[in-house]
Amino acid sequence: MEIRFQNSPKETSRMNTQELRENFHIPVLMQDDNVQLVYSHYDRVIIGGVKPFSKAVELPNHTELRADYFLERRELGIINVGGNGRVEADGVKHSLDKLDCLYLGKGVKKVSFISDDKNAPAVFFLLSSPAHHAYPTRKLTKEEASPVELGDQTTANRRTIYKYIHADGIQSCQLVMGLTVLSSGSVWNTMPPHTHTRRMEAYFYFDVPEQHRVFHFMGEPTETRHLLVANHEAIVSPPWSIHSGCGTSNYSFIWGMAGENYTFTDMDAVAIADIR
């Protein structure tokens, strides 16, 4: 598990491209039969990925957590963006098709991941935050996630938003989690942008065509930077930073948050004319 510490807005404004990538870009999350984890000191969130291929893959504990097991004091959101698979939690199996979400609460001791077919392996994105209360395990399909269509083709941001873990969906301590699918011909996400200094956010891009990329914009609204992101790569977004993107093709991405609250609409909007 890689450990990443916080960076201030002033420090970030002076970073070159390589330094930005080292601190905020996660290039390798999905490896066959392996769990990759990044522990961020922004709200102590853990961002992870697992791609079970030839065997069941167990969620490991880590000495940095000083816990008897991974979810002793944590909760976990899981979204599958690959082939059909299963998550086994304390002996109970949960089938997850593409874009299905599973929430595991504090106290679940053993978690493992399995693909139904190694020729079309499951690809599980993981997001975990500290938890003070044990909420029940719950699965939500994309059809049950109250999909909402937003945006317009004239501004190249027609998209469908699926909300899974939030106040009116799967209950959690502080995790908020969902995903956005851009329509063909649309490339912009979260524009106009916003910040929410009370919560950090993580982005995980998927269904990005092999030869295409997404320009992920970050930084303070008047001091923006960008990172190029490929398929199955992630971004750590600080609470003070905008988080927006523009692709060379349409794509999809998972968004997940944790922090002071889990009110989905708690955002500080930034006008496009005010971005620098």
Side-chain angles (χ1 to χ4, degrees), residues 10 24 53 80 142 156 163 174 254:
K10 184 176 181 179
F24 303 105
F53 179 69
N80 182 16
K142 69 180 190 328
K163 293 186 286 185
Q174 60 169 320
I254 293 171

PDB file of all heavy atoms in Angstrom, residues 10 24 53 80 142 156 163 174 254:
ATOM      1  N   LYS A  10      -0.471  26.224  -2.286  1.00  0.00           N
ATOM      2  CA  LYS A  10       0.724  26.983  -2.651  1.00  0.00           C
ATOM      3  C   LYS A  10       1.814  26.060  -3.171  1.00  0.00           C
ATOM      4  O   LYS A  10       2.460  26.335  -4.186  1.00  0.00           O
ATOM      5  CB  LYS A  10       1.224  27.768  -1.442  1.00  0.00           C
ATOM      6  CG  LYS A  10       2.412  28.679  -1.738  1.00  0.00           C
ATOM      7  CD  LYS A  10       2.785  29.497  -0.514  1.00  0.00           C
ATOM      8  CE  LYS A  10       3.950  30.433  -0.825  1.00  0.00           C
ATOM      9  NZ  LYS A  10       4.318  31.256   0.368  1.00  0.00           N
ATOM     10  N   PHE A  24      -0.643  13.219  -7.332  1.00  0.00           N
ATOM     11  CA  PHE A  24      -2.092  13.180  -7.539  1.00  0.00           C
ATOM     12  C   PHE A  24      -2.573  12.135  -8.549  1.00  0.00           C
ATOM     13  O   PHE A  24      -3.764  11.820  -8.583  1.00  0.00           O
ATOM     14  CB  PHE A  24      -2.589  14.564  -7.983  1.00  0.00           C
ATOM     15  CG  PHE A  24      -2.255  15.656  -7.016  1.00  0.00           C
ATOM     16  CD1 PHE A  24      -1.243  16.555  -7.284  1.00  0.00           C
ATOM     17  CD2 PHE A  24      -2.934  15.761  -5.811  1.00  0.00           C
ATOM     18  CE1 PHE A  24      -0.924  17.557  -6.377  1.00  0.00           C
ATOM     19  CE2 PHE A  24      -2.620  16.749  -4.898  1.00  0.00           C
ATOM     20  CZ  PHE A  24      -1.612  17.656  -5.179  1.00  0.00           C
ATOM     21  N   PHE A  53      -8.075 -12.653 -11.878  1.00  0.00           N
ATOM     22  CA  PHE A  53      -7.937 -13.289 -13.189  1.00  0.00           C
ATOM     23  C   PHE A  53      -8.025 -14.809 -13.088  1.00  0.00           C
ATOM     24  O   PHE A  53      -8.991 -15.422 -13.543  1.00  0.00           O
ATOM     25  CB  PHE A  53      -6.619 -12.849 -13.835  1.00  0.00           C
ATOM     26  CG  PHE A  53      -6.366 -13.448 -15.175  1.00  0.00           C
ATOM     27  CD1 PHE A  53      -7.131 -13.094 -16.277  1.00  0.00           C
ATOM     28  CD2 PHE A  53      -5.349 -14.376 -15.357  1.00  0.00           C
ATOM     29  CE1 PHE A  53      -6.898 -13.659 -17.525  1.00  0.00           C
ATOM     30  CE2 PHE A  53      -5.098 -14.945 -16.589  1.00  0.00           C
ATOM     31  CZ  PHE A  53      -5.877 -14.582 -17.681  1.00  0.00           C
ATOM     32  N   ASN A  80     -17.889  -2.467  -9.908  1.00  0.00           N
ATOM     33  CA  ASN A  80     -17.312  -3.302 -10.964  1.00  0.00           C
ATOM     34  C   ASN A  80     -17.446  -2.587 -12.308  1.00  0.00           C
ATOM     35  O   ASN A  80     -18.549  -2.198 -12.702  1.00  0.00           O
ATOM     36  CB  ASN A  80     -18.028  -4.657 -11.010  1.00  0.00           C
ATOM     37  CG  ASN A  80     -17.441  -5.593 -12.059  1.00  0.00           C
ATOM     38  OD1 ASN A  80     -16.342  -5.373 -12.554  1.00  0.00           O
ATOM     39  ND2 ASN A  80     -18.190  -6.636 -12.392  1.00  0.00           N
ATOM     40  N   LYS A 142     -27.002  -0.667 -11.417  1.00  0.00           N
ATOM     41  CA  LYS A 142     -27.060   0.639 -12.061  1.00  0.00           C
ATOM     42  C   LYS A 142     -28.509   1.059 -12.322  1.00  0.00           C
ATOM     43  O   LYS A 142     -28.838   2.254 -12.263  1.00  0.00           O
ATOM     44  CB  LYS A 142     -26.236   0.660 -13.341  1.00  0.00           C
ATOM     45  CG  LYS A 142     -26.759  -0.160 -14.502  1.00  0.00           C
ATOM     46  CD  LYS A 142     -25.813  -0.038 -15.696  1.00  0.00           C
ATOM     47  CE  LYS A 142     -26.307  -0.595 -16.994  1.00  0.00           C
ATOM     48  NZ  LYS A 142     -27.183  -1.724 -16.972  1.00  0.00           N
ATOM     49  N   ALA A 156     -21.255  19.599 -25.443  1.00  0.00           N
ATOM     50  CA  ALA A 156     -20.427  18.378 -25.410  1.00  0.00           C
ATOM     51  C   ALA A 156     -20.329  17.777 -24.016  1.00  0.00           C
ATOM     52  O   ALA A 156     -19.297  17.235 -23.644  1.00  0.00           O
ATOM     53  CB  ALA A 156     -19.028  18.670 -25.958  1.00  0.00           C
ATOM     54  N   LYS A 163     -26.008   7.501  -8.909  1.00  0.00           N
ATOM     55  CA  LYS A 163     -25.615   7.708  -7.507  1.00  0.00           C
ATOM     56  C   LYS A 163     -25.902   6.434  -6.711  1.00  0.00           C
ATOM     57  O   LYS A 163     -27.031   5.949  -6.684  1.00  0.00           O
ATOM     58  CB  LYS A 163     -26.373   8.900  -6.904  1.00  0.00           C
ATOM     59  CG  LYS A 163     -25.986  10.236  -7.513  1.00  0.00           C
ATOM     60  CD  LYS A 163     -26.642  11.404  -6.797  1.00  0.00           C
ATOM     61  CE  LYS A 163     -28.111  11.496  -7.130  1.00  0.00           C
ATOM     62  NZ  LYS A 163     -28.741  12.696  -6.532  1.00  0.00           N
ATOM     63  N   GLN A 174     -19.464   8.068   5.920  1.00  0.00           N
ATOM     64  CA  GLN A 174     -19.052   9.280   5.216  1.00  0.00           C
ATOM     65  C   GLN A 174     -18.761   9.074   3.741  1.00  0.00           C
ATOM     66  O   GLN A 174     -18.568  10.041   3.011  1.00  0.00           O
ATOM     67  CB  GLN A 174     -17.823   9.899   5.896  1.00  0.00           C
ATOM     68  CG  GLN A 174     -16.592   9.020   5.955  1.00  0.00           C
ATOM     69  CD  GLN A 174     -15.369   9.812   6.396  1.00  0.00           C
ATOM     70  OE1 GLN A 174     -15.164  10.957   5.989  1.00  0.00           O
ATOM     71  NE2 GLN A 174     -14.551   9.229   7.248  1.00  0.00           N
ATOM     72  N   ILE A 254     -15.721   6.932 -12.318  1.00  0.00           N
ATOM     73  CA  ILE A 254     -16.274   6.799 -10.968  1.00  0.00           C
ATOM     74  C   ILE A 254     -15.816   7.995 -10.156  1.00  0.00           C
ATOM     75  O   ILE A 254     -14.664   8.418 -10.247  1.00  0.00           O
ATOM     76  CB  ILE A 254     -15.795   5.500 -10.304  1.00  0.00           C
ATOM     77  CG1 ILE A 254     -16.378   4.278 -11.025  1.00  0.00           C
ATOM     78  CG2 ILE A 254     -16.164   5.456  -8.816  1.00  0.00           C
ATOM     79  CD1 ILE A 254     -15.787   2.954 -10.561  1.00  0.00           C
TER      80      ILE A 254
END
